[in-house]
Amino acid sequence: MTWRQLSEDVAILSFPWRVFGIDFARNVTLLRLKDGRLVVHSTAAFTETDLAAIRGFGQPAWLVEATLLHDTFAKEGRAALPDIPYLAPEGFTAAAGITAATLEHAPSDWSGEIEVLRLEGTGKNEYVFLHRASRTLVVADLFFSFPPETRGWGRFFVRNVMRLPQLFGISIFFRRLMVRDRPAFERSLRVLLEWDFDRLIVAHREPLMTGAKPAVQQAIRHAGYLAD
């Protein structure tokens, strides 16, 4: 696990996660409320060291999954944090085989601090989050972000298979397999672009520490959405 604190109230724990011979990494994001409670966004096979780092940052109060695809470590994550609410998209209980409450209505405790938006028209019911104080947008698989130094097979795969020539954007897999209702999806993107954010945390690989909004706008248009 690699620990990175991105702002006063936002940190990520990055875990190795290899697919197709490439380390896509898996980021667990910690969003801290003003009262010190944490939203633990995504799960992993947390060790005692990981849990100590999380608790050193704040009080874990909610465990969250933001897409039906992120059930890989659901059981391990729930076992590590068994006594807090587990929130996930509709259908997650069936997909993961573990009970979760719906994310459809965000907890009132988050009001004014964390916004939640469902990406309508997507097959895996992805949600995106905004931590207002830090102007941080948190996504699951909507965007992938690889560092410029990515080389070799990894760089070839991202640019030519995922179709992300700038190593950042909406992958061809998401566009073709996840988006089921384009008009509904584009309506959600318009709402997302009304949010005030400058930083972006993706579920896989590197966050954008600044300039995220124009990068997101460019990526959306590069993918062929909101062209009008």
Side-chain angles (χ1 to χ4, degrees), residues 117 119 128 137 139 141-144 163-166 168-171 174-175 179 182-195 197 200 208 211-228:
L117 172 68
L119 295 177
V128 295
L137 180 69
V139 305
D141 296 330
L142 175 60
F143 299 109
F144 281 78
R163 308 284 180 85
L164 302 177
Q166 303 304 315
F168 171 79
I170 305 175
S171 78
F174 193 97
R175 286 178 259 167
V179 179
R182 183 186 179 104
F185 179 59
E186 290 191 326
R187 285 196 297 272
S188 295
L189 292 178
R190 288 190 174 92
V191 174
L192 184 155
L193 290 175
E194 291 175 358
W195 283 355
F197 61 92
L200 169 65
L208 299 185
K213 191 161 188 176
V216 163
Q217 291 171 321
Q218 182 179 0
I220 287 172
R221 285 168 174 77
H222 180 267
Y225 301 109
L226 304 182
D228 54 340

Side-chain angles (χ1 to χ4, degrees), residues 133-186:
S134 65
R135 301 175 65 209
T136 301
L137 180 69
V138 185
V139 305
D141 296 330
L142 175 60
F143 299 109
F144 281 78
S145 175
F146 285 79
E149 61 269 21
T150 301
R151 294 290 182 266
W153 163 240
R155 187 178 184 89
F156 177 87
F157 185 89
V158 173
R159 297 188 66 182
N160 297 282
V161 180
M162 296 177 70
R163 308 284 180 85
L164 302 177
Q166 303 304 315
L167 306 181
F168 171 79
I170 305 175
S171 78
I172 191 67
F173 304 115
F174 193 97
R175 286 178 259 167
R176 291 187 176 177
L177 300 178
M178 301 303 165
V179 179
R180 306 286 180 80
D181 183 335
R182 183 186 179 104
F185 179 59
E186 290 191 326

